[in-house]
Amino acid sequence: MIKQPHILLVYTGGTIGMIKDADTGVLKAFDFTSLLVKIPELRLLDCSIETISFEHPIDSSNMSPKYWIEIATIIRDNYSKFDGFVVLHGSDTMSYTASALSFMFENLAKPVILTGSQLPIGDLRTDAKENLITSIEMASLQKDGQPIIREVGLYFEYKLYRGNRTTKLSAEHFEAFESLNYPNLAESGVHLKVNSEYLLKPKSNSKLIVRTAMDSDIGVLKLFPGISRAICEAVLTSKLIKGLIIETYGSGNATTESWFIDLLKKAITNGLHIVNVTQCVRGSVNMGQYETSSQLKTIGIISGKDITTEAAIAKMMYLLGENLDAQQFQYYFEKSLRGEMS
Ligand code: ASP
């Protein structure tokens, strides 16, 4: 007899778990322990489901590495008991959490799918039910008794994306996320269509390692025409920052003013890891393509290639937690570790 997949739903907070009080209209948390009673459709799924919830669910604007560790620990502690995991999460910072979890789990061989919704689960026109039901179906997909998806994904509005490739682009459309530099992993139509060629294929026998030393002493500096020397100096000479992501123009270009280049050079000499990520939502950093990026390459700025800022932040926290020297840091940052860059 074929065993039904066993799925763990982890509720962290967000609109998906809210229900509107019929009298007052105020949104309040939905009791996830009674999920199967409130959404009887879930019983029709060909899997068994258990739920676990944060003791105090949060709006994802309050997300932080402390909660990433809580999610990762829940999954680690239940890893052998379940075939797949669905993490219910507010959409606002879901791409950051998906990215962070992807780095925290090394040798992940089971699906971890994040989902949420734009409208509360109790709303008439809610997108929560479809997102929840299809995420569970995606997490249940198996071939020869093994999970088909073996990475951290993000499911929203009929599409499954690689989590660390996503960005939230819309605050009002049901189609809130996009993966602009990587194809979708799967789509939900009349049938579920998995694009197998784009899935990560981890070595099946390696043991799961969960890395929890996320160091958040980092900064993000978005360049804009007219950015002042004083502001750049304040950031680049700060003793509080160990890693800095610079959001540059186009294919990784920045001003060639000598004060800017000198500040960067000095910061690198003083041990700051600086990564170049483009402000463009599509395409890649390619230092050396233009004169305005050649010097950045020469002085030792790390290329973020086509990584999203969300994934770059998570990757930087993860690599800083590993206490690498400058050369190793650059090597690992420029290498795709979980399919986060091309
Ligand atoms: N502010 C909410 C959150 O991110 C929005 C949502 O649930 O989608 O938690």
Side-chain angles (χ1 to χ4, degrees):
M1 200 179 89
I2 299 169
K3 197 175 124 283
Q4 267 195 333
H6 197 33
I7 305 297
L8 181 64
L9 291 188
V10 183
Y11 178 58
T12 67
T15 306
I16 189 163
M18 299 283 181
I19 201 151
K20 221 180 236 163
D21 186 292
D23 300 321
T24 62
V26 173
L27 285 178
K28 54 181 193 193
F30 174 88
D31 175 12
F32 260 82
T33 48
S34 59
L35 188 70
L36 292 174
V37 179
K38 299 249 177 59
I39 312 177
E41 296 94 311
L42 292 177
R43 292 182 197 280
L44 301 174
L45 289 169
D46 198 11
C47 62
S48 53
I49 301 169
E50 280 185 44
T51 57
I52 189 165
S53 171
F54 272 11
E55 198 179 335
H56 302 290
I58 57 164
D59 184 291
S60 81
S61 305
N62 287 318
M63 191 44 73
S64 71
K66 171 179 110 178
Y67 295 113
W68 293 339
I69 294 170
E70 193 172 336
I71 301 168
T73 307
I74 291 173
I75 293 174
R76 184 193 57 201
D77 293 349
N78 289 282
Y79 194 68
S80 55
K81 195 175 153 205
F82 291 88
D83 299 295
F85 302 86
V86 173
V87 179
L88 306 172
H89 192 289
S91 59
D92 289 348
T93 61
M94 199 187 294
S95 294
Y96 292 88
T97 299
S99 300
L101 292 177
S102 77
F103 295 112
M104 293 167 84
F105 291 130
E106 195 170 327
N107 302 326
L108 183 69
K110 296 186 179 182
V112 173
I113 297 181
L114 281 86
T115 195
S117 67
Q118 294 284 55
L119 286 177
I121 204 152
D123 260 39
L124 267 185
R125 292 192 312 105
T126 189
D127 52 334
K129 281 191 187 176
E130 198 287 317
N131 286 347
L132 174 62
I133 289 168
T134 312
S135 294
I136 297 171
E137 286 194 306
M138 294 279 183
S140 305
L141 290 173
Q142 295 195 340
K143 195 176 171 206
D144 305 328
Q146 294 302 316
I148 291 183
I149 292 145
R150 295 181 290 166
E151 58 179 290
V152 179
L154 186 156
Y155 182 81
F156 225 87
E157 193 62 6
Y158 305 109
K159 290 185 189 123
L160 178 72
Y161 311 98
R162 173 162 302 152
N164 59 29
R165 289 289 195 151
T166 60
T167 296
K168 184 176 180 186
L169 287 187
S170 174
E172 57 184 5
H173 290 116
F174 285 144
E175 192 166 356
F177 290 87
E178 271 289 359
S179 165
L180 292 155
N181 279 327
Y182 197 73
N184 303 332
L185 301 183
E187 279 122 42
S188 157
V190 174
H191 303 287
L192 296 187
K193 180 174 173 283
V194 180
N195 302 319
S196 310
E197 67 274 35
Y198 300 123
L199 296 174
L200 280 184
K201 292 168 189 75
K203 287 176 242 132
S204 50
N205 296 327
S206 311
K207 196 171 172 291
L208 178 77
I209 301 170
V210 183
R211 313 260 181 199
T212 53
M214 302 292 276
D215 188 337
S216 54
D217 290 341
I218 70 172
V220 179
L221 181 66
K222 182 170 185 152
L223 298 188
F224 55 89
I227 191 167
S228 78
R229 179 179 183 157
I231 297 284
C232 292
E233 191 162 355
V235 174
L236 284 158
T237 57
S238 167
K239 295 269 176 296
L240 302 173
I241 299 176
K242 298 178 194 151
L244 181 70
I245 291 154
I246 302 199
E247 279 199 359
T248 56
Y249 312 121
S251 55
N253 307 314
T255 173
T256 50
E257 294 267 16
S258 58
W259 61 261
F260 182 69
I261 303 295
D262 288 345
L263 278 173
L264 293 176
K265 238 197 263 177
K266 217 183 266 166
I268 292 172
T269 314
N270 289 336
L272 186 69
H273 305 288
I274 308 181
V275 175
N276 185 347
V277 172
T278 174
Q279 291 174 19
C280 294
V281 290
R282 261 206 183 99
S284 180
V285 163
N286 182 6
M287 288 187 283
Q289 186 182 355
Y290 287 90
E291 206 189 328
T292 43
S293 65
S294 303
Q295 270 182 297
L296 302 180
K297 188 174 182 173
T298 322
I299 64 173
I301 301 279
I302 299 164
S303 176
K305 301 183 184 175
D306 62 351
I307 200 168
T308 61
T309 299
E310 293 89 330
I313 288 171
K315 189 171 186 176
M316 186 169 261
M317 288 189 193
Y318 161 59
L319 291 180
L320 282 176
E322 295 297 296
N323 284 317
L324 307 170
D325 65 30
Q327 226 182 342
Q328 290 170 322
F329 190 95
Q330 174 156 16
Y331 172 77
Y332 285 111
F333 206 105
E334 291 184 343
K335 184 177 152 107
S336 175
L337 301 178
R338 309 280 191 269
E340 73 281 6
M341 49 170 59
S342 304

